[in-house]
Amino acid sequence: MQISARADYALRALLTLAASDGQLVKGESLAQAQDLPLRFLENILTDLRRAGFVQSRRGADGGYQLGRPADEITIASVIRVTDGPLASVRGRRPEDAHYEGAAKNLQDVWIAVRVNLRRVLENVTLADVAGGRLPEIVTSLSGEPGAWSAR
């Protein structure tokens, strides 16, 4: 799975907001805290605001804060806002992919991949990550032999 810069930046900004205890954080501060390009981040924050994940206030005392509690925002929901479905095959949902001949069972593989992405990403919230309390499925999978080696 490839995580887009858009999803990565969105999650990093949201995690910074989650750690801010409800205080307003200026866009410039978010960008600096995570070493993100400000203009790109501002576009992402607009999408996150439309999705209800952040609230913004204009003015000298303005900034951004989470639009809902961090324990209600999953990693999956953020990726869906920034990038669309968690798993797609040539831009379509796996159940819409059809194969013939020797590849006829490939659709089942793509469905299984999506199920496992959901199993992890729908069960990890911003609060989990920001608080350093990752769910057992994450600690178990990341602790498996070979989990940290590139292939």
Side-chain angles (χ1 to χ4, degrees), residues 99-120:
Y99 301 97
E100 302 295 329
K104 71 179 182 178
N105 295 313
L106 191 55
Q107 181 184 35
D108 292 331
V109 174
W110 302 146
I111 296 290
V113 167
R114 182 177 64 186
V115 166
N116 278 294
L117 285 172
R118 286 177 176 170
R119 186 171 289 149
V120 173

Side-chain angles (χ1 to χ4, degrees), residues 4-139:
S4 72
R6 191 169 187 77
D8 181 58
Y9 292 1
L11 286 161
R12 290 163 58 191
L14 288 168
L15 288 164
T16 302
L17 293 176
S20 74
D21 295 323
Q23 299 296 313
L24 289 169
V25 180
K26 295 205 175 292
E28 297 84 10
S29 296
L30 283 172
Q32 287 178 344
Q34 291 295 323
D35 194 27
L36 306 175
L38 179 59
R39 294 272 188 227
F40 191 32
L41 178 60
E42 287 172 339
N43 290 330
I44 294 167
L45 288 167
T46 298
D47 291 341
L48 295 173
R49 185 180 48 76
R50 287 183 185 134
F53 293 154
V54 298
Q55 296 174 341
S56 62
R57 188 179 331 161
R58 295 180 186 263
D61 295 329
Y64 296 91
Q65 65 187 132
L66 290 181
R68 60 178 81 153
D71 63 355
E72 294 179 11
I73 303 173
T74 66
I75 302 298
S77 64
V78 176
I79 292 172
R80 286 183 181 114
V81 165
T82 59
D83 295 347
L86 295 178
S88 63
V89 179
R90 298 182 322 271
R92 298 183 316 196
R93 297 184 181 280
E95 63 270 20
D96 295 333
H98 298 287
Y99 301 97
E100 302 295 329
K104 71 179 182 178
N105 295 313
L106 191 55
Q107 181 184 35
D108 292 331
V109 174
W110 302 146
I111 296 290
V113 167
R114 182 177 64 186
V115 166
N116 278 294
L117 285 172
R118 286 177 176 170
R119 186 171 289 149
V120 173
L121 300 175
E122 289 179 349
N123 289 294
V124 181
T125 67
L126 295 180
D128 295 331
V129 178
R133 298 175 309 275
L134 297 175
E136 193 275 331
I137 190 165
V138 174
T139 57

